[in-house]
Amino acid sequence: MKGLVAANLKMNLTGQQTLSLVKNYTKLIKKTRNDVVVCPSYTALHLVAPVIKKSKLHLGAQDIFYEQKGAFTGEISGALLKEFGCKFSIIGHSERRNYLKESDELVNLKVKGCLKAGITPILCVGEDAYSRDGGESFSFVEKQLRACIAGVEKKNIHKVAIAYEPIWALSTSANRRDITSREITQMHNYIRKILKDIYDVRTAAGVRILYGGSVNDQNIDEILKAENVNGVLVGAASLDAKKFARIIAAFDARKQ
Ligand code: PEP
């Protein structure tokens, strides 16, 4: 299975800053055997799309609306994003769940909206510090995951990438803590088991499970020691082209 490394640029850069970052990516990332995806702000898509088209990188969005067309003021559909060549979209990021109050039900509609539009959803799940400390991380993630992929057919689930992003390990978390590769293994194995329960062993094995939470060029080797890590979602470190390129190189170098 091809790995997936995605850069979540969040709302950090202007169009010109994004363009300059992506140009640096393309200089540093000349080849990769994995899918490398850049998710800029919507307003930068038209600037970076032509640069990405000529490179090894793929374009992604940070969110989509679930309908394809119609009277939905302010929203952007998968169909519109495809005009720019977007092939991926982050869905259900914890920041959207927190600030925009996105529910599992809405996230589920968005996952299905992505599939309908032919866009790969990078579905984010992950518990907060409160659930982790209360020993409820597994039940929290299971509830979230089951709700967010409800109704996704067996023949389509391999088109969904699942990103485990524990909120307490994100670089922006107020009381951030480091996660261990053992903790990543435990959750990724658990996610694989849930997929197996819902679908079957073979189908579950075909789904990419990503880790996200303060991944950088210093800790990537440690993170890749964990089991069932088929990719990483990178926030802060992706704002530095050299760091992001080193993460991709480490990922490319790992034994499959
Ligand atoms: C994220 O918020 O999706 C993320 C991975 O952020 P960071 O790498 O900065 O923790």
Side-chain angles (χ1 to χ4, degrees):
M1 163 198 315
K2 245 191 185 183
L4 172 53
V5 180
N8 178 7
L9 305 184
K10 308 197 179 182
M11 203 180 68
N12 284 310
L13 305 174
T14 63
Q16 288 306 323
Q17 288 167 336
T18 310
L19 183 59
S20 135
L21 177 71
V22 171
K23 280 185 179 167
N24 286 333
Y25 281 177
T26 60
K27 281 181 205 147
L28 295 169
I29 307 159
K30 293 275 186 218
K31 56 177 184 183
T32 174
R33 54 195 174 99
N34 296 297
D35 285 334
V36 177
V37 183
V38 189
C39 304
S41 299
Y42 291 142
T43 51
L45 288 173
H46 69 292
L47 291 171
V48 297
V51 179
I52 288 190
K53 208 171 174 186
K54 287 188 228 131
S55 77
K56 290 275 168 209
L57 311 176
H58 299 292
L59 195 56
Q62 296 176 17
D63 182 42
I64 68 153
F65 187 60
Y66 55 87
E67 295 288 357
Q68 305 301 317
K69 188 175 189 287
F72 303 103
T73 305
E75 293 299 330
I76 312 271
S77 69
L80 294 182
L81 289 168
K82 281 190 86 176
E83 275 196 298
F84 296 93
C86 269
K87 293 192 178 138
F88 295 79
S89 178
I90 297 168
I91 297 291
H93 191 279
S94 57
E95 284 151 14
R96 295 196 63 82
R97 292 176 186 265
N98 180 19
Y99 300 119
L100 283 300
K101 306 289 169 236
E102 287 200 2
S103 63
D104 286 340
E105 290 70 29
L106 178 59
V107 172
N108 177 244
L109 288 172
K110 290 185 173 191
V111 167
K112 291 172 179 162
C114 274
L115 294 174
K116 197 165 181 191
I119 287 185
T120 298
I122 302 173
L123 164 64
C124 299
V125 294
E127 80 285 1
D128 54 18
Y130 182 79
S131 305
R132 168 69 49 170
D133 294 342
E136 285 165 9
S137 24
F138 294 95
S139 55
F140 186 101
V141 169
E142 175 161 6
K143 189 168 167 281
Q144 228 179 19
L145 178 60
R146 284 185 184 270
C148 294
I149 59 172
V152 175
E153 291 176 72
K154 182 171 142 177
K155 66 173 187 324
N156 286 329
I157 192 68
H158 71 280
K159 298 177 192 159
V160 179
I162 296 164
Y164 171 53
E165 294 215 308
I167 296 169
W168 50 272
L170 293 181
S171 67
T172 45
S173 172
N175 297 307
R176 200 196 76 78
R177 303 198 299 252
D178 281 330
I179 192 164
T180 63
S181 55
R182 188 164 170 270
E183 287 169 322
I184 298 175
T185 295
Q186 287 170 337
M187 188 57 84
H188 282 221
N189 286 349
Y190 192 67
I191 290 173
R192 189 78 71 201
K193 183 185 156 304
I194 298 166
L195 294 169
K196 205 166 72 185
D197 282 355
I198 303 175
Y199 302 98
D200 56 54
V201 182
R202 199 152 163 262
T203 308
V207 179
R208 295 189 279 195
I209 305 176
L210 279 54
Y211 172 73
S214 302
V215 175
N216 59 46
D217 54 330
Q218 303 299 311
N219 62 16
I220 183 69
D221 291 323
E222 190 58 30
I223 286 166
L224 291 179
K225 284 183 191 158
E227 292 167 20
N228 269 316
V229 175
N230 312 117
V232 284
L233 179 52
V234 187
S238 68
L239 297 171
D240 179 323
K242 283 189 186 144
K243 287 185 186 171
F244 189 56
R246 283 201 285 262
I247 291 169
I248 290 156
F251 203 80
D252 280 337
R254 93 196 157 129
K255 287 198 191 82
Q256 298 272 16

